[in-house]
């Protein structure tokens, strides 16, 4: 599974890709967890060289029944880290169509229950519950359904709603970093940049469902038009 992920993600250098695997990197008989920030899991995810979280799914969707796994999903999402759901058949969220494994993953994400998830040690459960409550984990994990639905070329292309032209995100749109309802620039600064740009410039917001894209779109449209009365959908 990991080899398949490396080949699909780093086709020209997959043999040089490095993966941190808990079962090999941590002494499972005597794990030194400490506090969450200093736990080996969060330290690994926090490394500058760590670019994404690889979530390996089995046919029984067992990782979604482990509290540590759910916490790592929540942590990655909160910190804007890309997440790939993978099986031996490839990366579920990058396949050309939704596979049987992808459909099963969606059902499992929708039915996730952190309060019933297992933890090897009671201290692990206590550590996690002191950091974040189960409802927040559950809400975030359910939002990952949109990640699994985002299959094939839809991650790298979009269809212009006016011209119906297929455009590539890399060279046909302004990129906006969008996290937890906030963008890296103020709405006014972004509007000024757009007004100064060439005619036909496109802005594409790509983010998970329920994070505030519609609200931000209205704010940007109002700022660009210098009209606070804009209230309809952009």
């Amino acid at each position: 599974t990991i080899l398949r992920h490396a080949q699909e993600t780093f086709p020209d250098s997959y043999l040089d890709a490095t993966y941190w695997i808990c079962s090999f990197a941590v002494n499972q008989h005597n794990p030194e967890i400490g506090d969450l920030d200093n736990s080996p899991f969060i330290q690994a995810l926090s490394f500058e060289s760590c670019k994404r979280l690889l979530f390996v799914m089995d046919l029984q969707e067992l990782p979604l029944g482990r509290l540590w796994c759910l916490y790592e999903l929540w942590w990655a999402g909160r910190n804007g880290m890309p997440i790939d759901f993978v099986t031996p058949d490839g990366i579920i969220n990058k396949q050309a169509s939704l596979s049987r494994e992808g459909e099963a993953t969606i059902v499992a994400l929708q039915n996730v229950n952190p309060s019933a998830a297992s933890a090897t040690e009671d201290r692990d459960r206590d550590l996690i519950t002191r950091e974040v409550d189960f409802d927040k984990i559950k809400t975030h994990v359910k939002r990952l359904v949109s990640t699994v639905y985002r299959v094939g070329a839809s991650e790298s292309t979009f269809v212009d709603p006016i011209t119906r032209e297929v455009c590539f995100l890399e060279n046909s749109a302004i990129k906006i970093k969008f996290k937890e309802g906030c963008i890296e620039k103020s709405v006014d600064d972004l509007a000024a940049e757009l007004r100064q740009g060439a005619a036909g410039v496109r802005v594409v917001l790509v983010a998970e469902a329920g994070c505030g894209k519609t609200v931000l779109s209205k704010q940007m449209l109002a700022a660009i038009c210098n009209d606070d009365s804009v209230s309809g959908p952009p």
Side-chain angles (χ1 to χ4, degrees), residues 47-99:
F47 285 153
E48 185 177 352
S49 59
C50 185
K51 303 302 182 184
R52 60 201 318 111
L53 173 64
L54 185 66
F55 203 83
V56 181
M57 303 296 295
D58 57 23
L59 294 178
Q60 296 177 300
E61 314 294 345
L62 291 179
L64 291 175
R66 297 287 298 172
L67 189 55
W68 266 117
C69 295
L70 295 179
Y71 176 76
E72 289 160 11
L73 280 178
W74 174 83
W75 189 97
R78 186 190 66 173
N79 289 277
M81 177 174 289
I83 301 170
D84 285 340
F85 291 89
V86 297
T87 70
D89 294 329
I91 306 173
I92 294 174
N93 47 293
K94 292 185 179 178
Q95 292 175 339
S97 60
L98 198 60
S99 63

Side-chain angles (χ1 to χ4, degrees), residues 98-149:
L98 198 60
S99 63
R100 180 174 63 88
E101 291 81 5
E103 293 175 350
T105 298
I106 286 174
V107 172
L109 288 170
Q110 291 173 329
N111 295 317
V112 71
N113 184 5
S115 61
S118 61
T120 304
E121 301 286 344
D122 289 339
R123 63 177 180 177
D124 294 347
R125 181 178 296 275
D126 293 339
L127 278 173
I128 293 173
T129 53
R130 283 200 298 267
E131 171 77 12
V132 57
D133 61 57
F134 288 147
D135 286 340
K136 288 185 177 179
I137 294 178
K138 185 175 183 178
T139 298
H140 171 73
V141 171
K142 284 190 172 185
R143 285 180 176 176
L144 293 175
V145 168
S146 63
T147 300
V148 180
Y149 269 126

Side-chain angles (χ1 to χ4, degrees), residues 135-187:
D135 286 340
K136 288 185 177 179
I137 294 178
K138 185 175 183 178
T139 298
H140 171 73
V141 171
K142 284 190 172 185
R143 285 180 176 176
L144 293 175
V145 168
S146 63
T147 300
V148 180
Y149 269 126
R150 202 186 312 143
V151 295
S154 62
E155 281 195 323
S156 58
T157 64
F158 67 98
V159 176
D160 187 296
I162 298 175
T163 67
R164 310 308 300 171
E165 174 189 4
V166 176
C167 306
F168 289 88
L169 289 175
E170 284 298 320
N171 53 23
S172 299
I174 291 178
K175 297 178 182 178
I176 302 173
K177 291 184 179 180
F178 189 66
K179 178 182 176 183
E180 296 181 358
C182 301
I183 56 177
E184 57 186 340
K185 300 179 180 179
S186 72
V187 171

